[in-house]
Amino acid sequence: MHKKVDIADTAMLEYLEIFKMEYEREFNKKQSFDNRAGLILTLLGAISIFLFEHIKINEIITLIKFPISFLNIIKAFSGLTVYVAFIYTVIKSIATIIVKPQNQYAIKNINNKRLKEEKIVAIKRMISTYEKIIIQHREVNLKRAISFTEALYGMGITLIAIIVYIAFS
């Protein structure tokens, strides 16, 4: 015969709390990435005003034409790098925000049948559901973290290239 397990004799409620905290933590990571990527995009907007006024494509193309000098090569390379890194940073910043949506706890699945089930069965189901959601959130947040890191590198390269371009002007 099957012995009934008392929920008080298990660690299920503690695990459920851990899963709830992890769920919240992963959601907060998503919000943090969205906010930071938004700040980068705002900064890129300010840089774009400077970029289009002071580093013109037609000037860069002119620098590449004859007569070729070391100064012109450095200036042309840094000018092209500014544009390439700027575009790369915009793409990676947008990719940080526009990643696969994160799964949520399906509230619609809580129905009268589930409300009447044994507490231990319900908690097992919740733990299992939270586990699947948290794993998916971590995968999505990892992709966000990679895109955000790449956007930061792109921003750094953009700024360095701007400094080099201005220094050789």
Side-chain angles (χ1 to χ4, degrees):
M1 185 140 174
H2 191 67
K3 182 181 175 189
K4 189 170 182 172
V5 177
D6 184 2
I7 200 163
D9 296 333
T10 70
M12 290 181 86
L13 293 175
E14 289 78 5
Y15 281 119
L16 182 59
E17 278 306 307
I18 290 170
F19 276 98
K20 286 179 183 178
M21 288 187 306
E22 288 298 314
Y23 176 85
E24 191 68 31
R25 182 177 295 148
E26 292 301 319
F27 181 79
N28 289 338
K29 282 182 191 176
K30 176 207 177 297
Q31 292 299 109
S32 176
F33 284 127
D34 289 351
N35 292 339
R36 291 184 282 171
L39 289 173
I40 288 179
L41 288 171
T42 302
L43 182 58
L44 287 173
I47 289 173
S48 70
I49 293 168
F50 174 84
L51 178 67
F52 298 130
E53 278 185 26
H54 298 288
I55 305 175
K56 298 185 183 326
I57 295 279
N58 59 348
E59 287 178 18
I60 296 168
I61 293 170
T62 303
L63 291 170
I64 296 171
K65 294 181 180 175
F66 292 100
I68 294 178
S69 70
F70 181 72
L71 178 68
N72 285 353
I73 291 171
I74 296 293
K75 193 171 176 184
F77 179 75
S78 62
L80 289 172
T81 302
V82 168
Y83 277 95
V84 170
F86 179 83
I87 292 166
Y88 178 81
T89 304
V90 169
I91 290 168
K92 288 302 180 175
S93 296
I94 292 170
T96 301
I97 297 169
I98 303 175
V99 175
K100 181 181 174 187
Q102 292 183 319
N103 294 340
Q104 303 297 317
Y105 197 91
I107 302 298
K108 68 180 181 182
N109 290 340
I110 301 173
N111 54 33
N112 285 334
K113 179 183 173 194
R114 293 241 169 110
L115 291 173
K116 293 176 187 175
E117 69 187 354
E118 287 183 56
K119 190 173 186 175
I120 196 163
V121 172
I123 291 174
K124 282 181 183 178
R125 183 186 330 281
M126 284 184 242
I127 289 172
S128 175
T129 302
Y130 271 121
E131 178 185 28
K132 290 173 189 164
I133 291 171
I134 291 167
I135 289 169
Q136 188 264 349
H137 284 201
R138 285 187 176 161
E139 290 169 358
V140 170
N141 283 336
L142 178 61
K143 289 177 185 172
R144 279 189 171 95
I146 291 168
S147 290
F148 182 73
T149 301
E150 291 171 344
L152 288 177
Y153 289 139
M155 177 66 76
I157 292 168
T158 301
L159 295 174
I160 290 168
I162 288 171
I163 291 167
V164 170
Y165 186 87
I166 292 170
F168 284 95
S169 291

